[in-house]
Amino acid sequence: MTEGLGVWLYAVTSSRADSAAAGELTGVAGEPVRTVVSDDLAALVGSVPLEVFGEQPLRRHLEDLDWLDGTARAHDAVVSASVRRGPTVPLRLATVFLDDDRVRALLDERRGDFAAALALVSGRTEWGVKAYGDRAALTAAVAEARASENSGKGAGAAYLARRRAQLSAQETVERDAAQRAEEIHARLVRHAAAGRRQALTDPTLSGRRDWMLLNGTYLVDDDHSDDFAATVTTLGEEFSGIRLELTGPWPPYSFAGVEREPA
């Protein structure tokens, strides 16, 4: 590599993919994207200046939210373009190596992992589902469900049962919400090749004050995406007091399964 340049790694794909198409893309530093090939694997990379993307300057830049946003968008644009051409394993943002030989060594060392990840994501795309709770509506829904268990009693007894149910629901709304979120996740996983519960988004980062109950990512067969979306709609109608948001399709970042500290 030219002195002063490092290698930014975007993704890994099959070496049988159209490598010429990679040269039509530009990356995080406006550099042309190219490939580093090792047998049946190809890494999509770009040459970036170490004065900006070396370990120390990169650490400072990552604290600049505007810079981070622009860099993440440029990284994702390359990954998304590769996904449109075929199975792709995205690498995490800011994976920088010193030269092509070290990238090639990664492909050699983790060949089995990359092959398994490519097989997993082939013909599949990642979708996100977030669940938000309305505390008052959820409490009312839980109370109604519990009160209905005591239906058929006299008017006075039924009133007392409803009141006890309301008080109980107010005390247990957090637990009830978590149980419902877990059930929603489990049912979505049954309609996906894989699913993961991610950490709930910090409101200070998202800018939203909604009560988030679930932040799930799901790897869905491309020819079953309509069925998955329909399931999300059905669950949103079934669980009173919970609103579901479906996003995607996205590159399969959550299911790459291959990470290693850059060098």
Side-chain angles (χ1 to χ4, degrees):
M1 293 299 302
T2 304
E3 184 177 356
L5 293 179
V7 182
W8 182 286
L9 179 54
Y10 295 94
V12 172
T13 185
S14 168
S15 61
R16 294 186 295 274
D18 182 9
S19 60
E24 301 172 0
L25 304 172
T26 55
V28 298
E31 86 286 3
V33 176
R34 55 191 177 79
T35 59
V36 173
V37 176
S38 176
D39 294 332
D40 57 339
L41 297 177
L44 296 179
V45 304
S47 299
V48 294
L50 291 176
E51 63 180 358
V52 177
F53 295 95
E55 182 178 358
Q56 293 302 323
L58 184 58
R59 186 173 301 163
R60 292 193 300 270
H61 284 305
L62 291 176
E63 297 176 356
D64 181 340
L65 294 183
D66 290 336
W67 187 93
L68 178 60
D69 180 68
T71 301
R73 289 176 184 275
H75 179 89
D76 185 67
V78 174
V79 172
S80 296
S82 179
V83 167
R84 289 192 292 271
R85 294 198 299 270
T88 298
V89 177
L91 272 293
R92 64 179 174 83
L93 188 71
T95 301
V96 182
F97 290 80
L98 292 180
D99 53 41
D100 287 2
D101 287 341
R102 301 194 188 204
V103 175
R104 197 171 288 108
L106 173 68
L107 298 180
D108 293 339
E109 293 168 7
R110 306 296 299 277
R111 183 173 306 281
D113 295 330
F114 281 119
L118 285 169
L120 175 64
V121 303
S122 180
R124 295 169 175 150
T125 310
E126 180 173 321
W127 294 81
V129 178
K130 292 181 172 62
Y132 297 95
D134 179 323
R135 193 175 296 271
L138 185 57
T139 300
V142 172
E144 181 180 353
R146 290 177 180 170
S148 67
E149 296 173 0
N150 297 297
S151 61
K153 297 182 178 180
Y159 170 78
L160 291 176
R162 286 196 302 273
R163 185 57 181 156
R164 284 195 296 268
Q166 290 169 354
L167 293 174
S168 176
Q170 291 172 1
E171 294 174 353
T172 63
V173 64
E174 298 276 351
R175 184 189 67 197
D176 296 326
Q179 290 174 344
R180 282 162 170 72
E182 181 59 37
E183 183 176 351
I184 289 170
H185 174 68
R187 288 172 63 176
L188 289 174
V189 168
R190 292 202 290 268
H191 291 267
R196 291 182 177 177
R197 293 192 68 167
Q198 308 292 350
L200 300 182
T201 305
D202 187 337
T204 60
L205 297 178
S206 66
R208 299 180 58 162
R209 295 296 176 182
D210 309 58
W211 181 23
M212 181 181 283
L213 307 177
L214 172 67
N215 181 17
T217 52
Y218 305 90
L219 189 65
V220 180
D221 290 347
D222 291 335
D223 54 0
H224 292 162
S225 58
D226 289 344
D227 173 64
F228 184 79
T231 300
V232 174
T233 299
T234 298
L235 291 171
E237 295 170 348
E238 179 179 338
F239 287 85
S240 299
I242 296 178
R243 175 172 51 84
L244 299 184
E245 288 186 359
L246 174 67
T247 61
W250 307 111
Y253 286 103
S254 301
F255 304 95
V258 183
E259 295 291 351
R260 199 204 75 173
E261 288 300 312

